[in-house]
Amino acid sequence: LIALVQRRNSWGSLCHVVLAAAILIFVSRDIIEWMIIWLLGVVVVRMPRPRIPKLRASRFVVASLVVFGVTTALERTLMNMVSLSGDIIVATTFALFLYCVYCRDSSTPIASDIDRSSAAWKRLAGFSYTLYLFHQPPLAFANAWLVSTRQSRWQPSAPHIAAMLAAVVVVVMYSYAGSRVTEAHTDALRRVLTRARA
């Protein structure tokens, strides 16, 4: 995309094409294919948001949520396996749900609520990528350790559910702490790179 946008600078475009090709060679085919799901988020953000009456918009939200829930249940039950096509179907119905939520929010006077809650949402969103990266390793390690020592997986008992919730809290806190030395500095790094480019 950068290569297409910066057509005035042929050398810069060529460098970006070479860099993109190197990345595609380096990562696995699975990541390239599953990137379609990531790009659905861009589609949701870039789609126009028509002004819809509040009641009708709320109905769209409920209907899209039902479609997402039913689709997910059927996909996970019938296919019973991780597949690109199944995940794209689930992701598409979820993207439809998000789009309906955005359209509803565009049709209601929520500016004051957004102003009051924006700091909290920014703080939560501010470590979402770190959470995405960091949550899996400690949980995978804990899972392997528990299975190797007990020779069985946890059953859904009250103590196990409580321990699972505690593990989730710990992982979220650990991810948030990690984000304070990484993701929290994204804006500062962006400003430095913007100045350097200028």
Side-chain angles (χ1 to χ4, degrees):
L1 286 175
I2 294 173
L4 290 174
V5 170
Q6 295 184 342
R7 284 176 294 185
R8 293 171 297 177
N9 185 346
S10 57
W11 279 110
S13 296
L14 179 62
C15 289
H16 285 107
V17 168
V18 171
L19 179 62
I23 291 172
L24 293 178
I25 293 170
F26 176 75
V27 301
S28 67
R29 179 180 172 182
D30 287 344
I31 290 178
I32 297 171
E33 291 175 342
W34 257 268
M35 193 177 292
I36 297 169
I37 295 173
W38 286 28
L39 293 177
L40 284 173
V42 179
V43 173
V44 170
V45 171
R46 294 297 182 183
M47 287 277 287
R49 300 184 192 179
R51 295 190 67 83
I52 304 171
K54 184 178 178 181
L55 181 59
R56 185 183 299 175
S58 297
R59 288 175 179 166
F60 284 153
V61 170
V62 172
S64 62
L65 182 60
V66 170
V67 169
F68 166 65
V70 171
T71 302
T72 302
L74 289 175
E75 194 275 334
R76 293 293 183 248
T77 303
L78 297 178
M79 298 189 72
N80 197 27
M81 60 180 291
V82 176
S83 68
L84 177 61
S85 58
D87 281 354
I88 287 178
I89 292 171
V90 171
T92 302
T93 57
F94 184 68
L96 175 64
F97 166 67
L98 285 181
Y99 179 67
C100 290
V101 170
Y102 284 163
C103 289
R104 184 198 61 185
D105 290 348
S106 297
S107 304
T108 56
I110 59 169
S112 59
D113 293 337
I114 290 177
D115 290 340
R116 285 196 296 268
S117 62
S118 60
W121 289 121
K122 284 180 180 178
R123 185 169 291 276
L124 288 173
F127 78 104
S128 60
Y129 191 73
T130 306
L131 178 64
Y132 167 72
L133 287 179
F134 285 13
H135 82 280
Q136 184 65 20
L139 292 177
F141 178 82
N143 177 65
W145 176 70
L146 288 169
V147 171
S148 67
T149 55
R150 299 173 184 271
Q151 302 301 319
S152 65
R153 297 186 180 276
W154 279 358
Q155 299 304 309
S157 62
H160 288 157
I161 291 173
M164 181 202 69
L165 293 174
V168 169
V169 170
V170 168
V171 167
V172 169
M173 293 173 62
Y174 147 78
S175 299
Y176 178 75
S179 76
R180 302 318 296 164
V181 296
T182 55
E183 192 173 358
H185 302 286
T186 301
D187 287 341
L189 178 60
R190 185 181 291 116
R191 287 193 295 270
V192 169
L193 293 175
T194 301
R195 285 198 300 268
R197 194 172 116 189

